[in-house]
Amino acid sequence: MHKLLSLSLVAAATALAGCATFTPSVPVNTEPVKVRVLAINDFHGNLRPPRGGIRIADKANPGKTINVDAGGAEHLATAVAELRRANPNHVFVAAGDLIGATPLLSALFRDEPTIESLGLMGLEIAAVGNHEFDKGAAELLRMQNGGCHPSEGCKGPYPFKGASFQYLAASTVDEKTGKTLLPAYKVKSFQGIPVAFIGLTLKATPSIVVPAGVAGLKFRDEADTVNELVPVLRKQGIEAIVVLIHEGGIATGDYNECPGISGPIVDIVKRLDKAVDLVVSGHTHRAYNCRIDGRLVTSADRYGTVVSAIDLVIDPKTGDITSAVADNVIARTSFVKDPRQTALIEQYERLVVPLAKRVVGRIGAALPRSTNPAGESALGQVIADAQLAATRAPEDGGAQVAFMNPGGIRADLPLPADGLVRYEDLFSVQPFYNNLVTLTLSGTQLLQLLEAQWLGQTGSGRILHVSRGFTYTWDASKPLGQRVVPGSVILNGQAVQPTDSVRVTVNSFVAGGGDNFAIFKEARNPRTGAMDVDALEAYVRNNPAVQPGALDRILRLN
């Protein structure tokens, strides 16, 4: 049995949820109550349809896939409205990362347009995701409560009112107060029957966001948090429990299937109290419709390309969910545009166009972010070179090498028809707007950094892109912690020695220990520099006709 939450945390959670005295009303009917839950995740401020839409199985050609144009606020809103009409008992929910890593249209206004857009769609409840913490807890609370930004003021057409929906953060605790940062759960009644929605983000959030953004916060175990809230809800007569969690898995099938699923969500669901009836997941940017441990688990891709339409049947006598089935519906761009969303987007676009369409330079060929077996990509090389160029001068930090984390590269840089790259193109590649930081590592620490690309990382590791003049070889057959071939680490033609001091540039996310590169917390003499996307802009401007180079900086054996 899991250890119960302290009384203070339970009390805080129930008080914040605003339902400590909840008393379910007596149902007036004896027929099963049907409820429709509409769910999305990982919207990431894609007010306009994302490039590529969603990739699905090609039914006309078994074994092949096709891209379907989908997503964006205008089409997503239409899909939600149409699916909502099927049942008067409905609720629209989300499983995190609604904001953060957003396109320029949203990011330039601190993601206020996205919060407003989702409110117009009728979103009611959302779990916080890791990207909700990109700008820190105070900024997340501003997203919820409204008000102008404390230093930048109001950039939009009117003062920001905050979210009309409720963010939930059951597992995120303020270490000073012992209370959850946001409510732990929210209850909504359907024909007198209460349904509780618990919202939480992944326990690993501190390792994948800028450390300063989660300073003073504790992220508790996901399953433990839910299990400790179950008796709190049951004391209020609530038996129907839905979990909205920003954590997920990877399924091998098509967008509405689940022939096999792996990843953290599997273990989490298996550990949940049997009182939990439905799990709406996210984070992995996948679409799936699964049964794990006998329970329905859904995920709706990303960028608003899919809506999970989940139909529940509730027994009016017990108040418990007796059936849960889902259908992942693609929000195709062929759907009629929602006029309110169109008006909202156009209002903000009028303000953003002068900056977004500004020409910054030329490229000679497309720069993809896809990597070779060693972990290199053409775009990653260019970004690392740009960051080195921006910080190489002594007054800018005196950098000797730059590293770029792959998770910070969010899109390819295609070749425009006229060859002209615009600011919005660069921003889609690097939307986090992080400062560059130059620090000093010893040669030993630099080797530890390279080994950390596989230690404590997911999947096949997290290979950092490296700037020109730096090379090394790694052996995939060697055990973790011993993969870098001894003597292979070369900087500007010289082998790096353990006693060397090397000036290294990374973005502020990595410099703070993000992506589990904790070695940077031990670095010396930090120097904060330009913003990452500004460095890329300067590089493209100063190097006309940039093209992919040879992917030979990182060599792989076996």
Side-chain angles (χ1 to χ4, degrees):
M1 180 178 294
H2 297 292
K3 183 179 178 182
L4 291 178
L5 276 169
S6 66
L7 290 177
S8 62
L9 283 180
V10 173
T14 52
L16 278 169
C19 53
T21 59
F22 181 83
T23 302
S25 57
V26 178
V28 297
N29 65 302
T30 58
E31 294 296 318
V33 175
K34 297 181 179 180
V35 175
R36 169 158 281 192
V37 178
L38 302 176
I40 62 170
N41 52 271
D42 298 275
F43 185 61
H44 288 291
N46 278 259
L47 300 173
R48 287 297 192 191
R51 292 174 179 167
I54 181 174
R55 195 160 189 82
I56 66 173
D58 184 356
K59 294 182 179 179
N61 297 286
K64 296 185 178 180
T65 59
I66 57 172
N67 282 355
V68 174
D69 292 335
E74 296 163 299
H75 312 290
L76 175 62
T78 297
V80 168
E82 184 64 28
L83 292 168
R84 187 185 283 127
R85 292 190 190 99
N87 191 336
N89 295 324
H90 56 250
V91 60
F92 181 23
V93 303
D97 275 11
L98 302 177
I99 58 175
T102 52
L104 189 64
L105 178 60
S106 181
L108 274 183
F109 302 97
R110 288 273 181 171
D111 286 330
E112 294 171 12
T114 294
I115 296 295
E116 186 178 353
S117 168
L118 293 167
L120 281 177
M121 288 185 211
L123 185 66
E124 296 182 50
I125 307 167
V128 292
N130 55 282
H131 279 288
E132 264 80 15
F133 291 97
D134 280 350
K135 303 301 180 184
E139 180 68 353
L140 170 56
L141 293 176
R142 188 179 76 87
M143 292 293 99
Q144 180 70 79
N145 302 318
C148 296
H149 188 270
S151 62
E152 297 181 7
C154 290
K155 290 186 176 181
Y158 33 73
F160 179 54
K161 296 180 181 179
S164 59
F165 56 89
Q166 180 62 62
Y167 266 122
L168 303 177
S171 58
T172 306
V173 178
D174 186 322
E175 292 181 320
K176 287 185 177 179
T177 65
K179 297 179 180 180
T180 54
L181 181 68
L182 287 156
Y185 62 91
K186 181 169 181 165
V187 178
K188 181 172 182 176
S189 289
F190 302 93
Q191 295 180 223
I193 300 175
V195 178
F197 296 85
I198 301 173
L200 65 165
T201 191
L202 67 162
K203 180 176 63 176
T205 294
S207 70
I208 56 175
V209 303
V210 176
V214 293
L217 297 176
K218 179 181 180 181
F219 290 79
R220 302 186 68 251
D221 181 86
E222 305 96 337
D224 287 351
T225 298
V226 172
N227 293 343
E228 291 160 1
L229 284 170
V230 167
V232 175
L233 297 171
R234 281 182 152 170
K235 283 182 179 179
Q236 300 173 54
I238 301 170
E239 294 294 333
I241 301 174
V242 176
V243 168
L244 312 176
I245 180 171
H246 191 69
E247 181 59 287
I250 298 174
T252 58
D254 205 12
Y255 72 98
N256 209 19
E257 301 174 346
C258 188
I261 185 167
S262 60
I265 196 64
V266 177
D267 177 65
I268 292 171
V269 172
K270 288 181 177 179
R271 292 173 51 218
L272 291 177
D273 190 297
K274 294 300 182 183
V276 175
D277 303 289
L278 165 66
V279 176
V280 176
S281 66
H283 186 55
T284 54
H285 290 200
R286 301 300 180 100
Y288 47 77
N289 184 350
C290 297
R291 293 279 170 182
I292 301 176
D293 197 33
R295 280 174 283 208
L296 179 63
V297 180
T298 66
S299 181
D301 200 53
R302 80 285 183 266
Y303 307 159
T305 59
V306 169
V307 183
S308 295
I310 306 163
D311 291 315
L312 308 178
V313 178
I314 304 177
D315 185 333
K317 294 181 180 179
T318 65
D320 202 2
I321 295 172
T322 60
S323 173
V325 295
D327 181 25
N328 280 340
V329 178
I330 297 177
R332 299 172 183 266
T333 56
S334 58
F335 292 173
V336 175
K337 295 180 179 180
D338 181 286
R340 295 193 301 168
Q341 295 291 333
T342 300
L344 173 69
I345 291 170
E346 290 178 347
Q347 186 172 228
Y348 278 98
E349 280 188 334
R350 283 193 291 270
L351 298 176
V352 80
V353 163
L355 177 58
K357 300 298 182 183
R358 178 169 54 84
V359 174
V360 298
R362 288 180 175 274
I363 57 175
L367 297 170
R369 60 173 174 160
S370 56
T371 59
N372 67 1
E376 283 196 278
S377 77
L379 183 54
Q381 284 188 345
V382 169
I383 291 173
D385 289 346
Q387 296 183 354
L388 177 61
T391 56
R392 180 187 286 124
E395 62 272 21
D396 295 326
Q400 297 167 275
V401 60
F403 296 101
M404 179 61 197
N405 59 311
I409 305 175
R410 307 301 285 194
D412 298 329
L413 186 58
L415 177 65
D418 57 4
L420 298 177
V421 177
R422 290 162 176 81
Y423 187 81
E424 62 182 345
D425 301 321
L426 299 184
F427 199 89
S428 68
V429 171
Q430 289 190 280
F432 295 102
Y433 209 58
N434 288 323
N435 285 102
L436 297 181
V437 182
T438 305
L439 319 95
T440 298
L441 293 178
S442 68
T444 296
Q445 289 173 323
L446 183 57
L447 293 174
Q448 291 173 343
L449 168 66
L450 296 178
E451 294 291 357
Q453 296 174 119
W454 301 279
L455 289 169
Q457 306 289 3
T458 58
S460 59
R462 200 183 302 269
I463 310 297
L464 297 168
H465 301 289
V466 304
S467 57
R468 183 179 290 108
F470 186 87
T471 62
Y472 71 96
T473 302
W474 66 279
D475 190 338
S477 69
K478 298 296 184 181
L480 297 180
Q482 302 176 36
R483 290 193 167 180
V484 177
V485 174
S488 71
V489 182
I490 305 296
L491 176 59
N492 297 326
Q494 299 294 320
V496 174
Q497 302 299 321
T499 56
D500 287 346
S501 291
V502 183
R503 292 291 283 170
V504 176
T505 292
V506 291
N507 59 50
S508 56
F509 165 67
V510 176
D515 278 345
N516 284 323
F517 292 113
I519 192 66
F520 281 107
K521 294 182 180 180
E522 302 174 18
R524 297 175 287 112
N525 304 323
R527 174 72 178 271
T528 300
M531 309 306 290
D532 53 8
V533 71
D534 294 340
L536 182 58
E537 176 184 355
Y539 190 81
V540 171
R541 183 176 62 248
N542 296 329
N543 295 273
V546 172
Q547 296 190 31
L551 300 182
D552 57 1
R553 301 175 188 179
I554 303 174
L555 303 179
R556 174 179 174 171
L557 303 179
N558 301 306

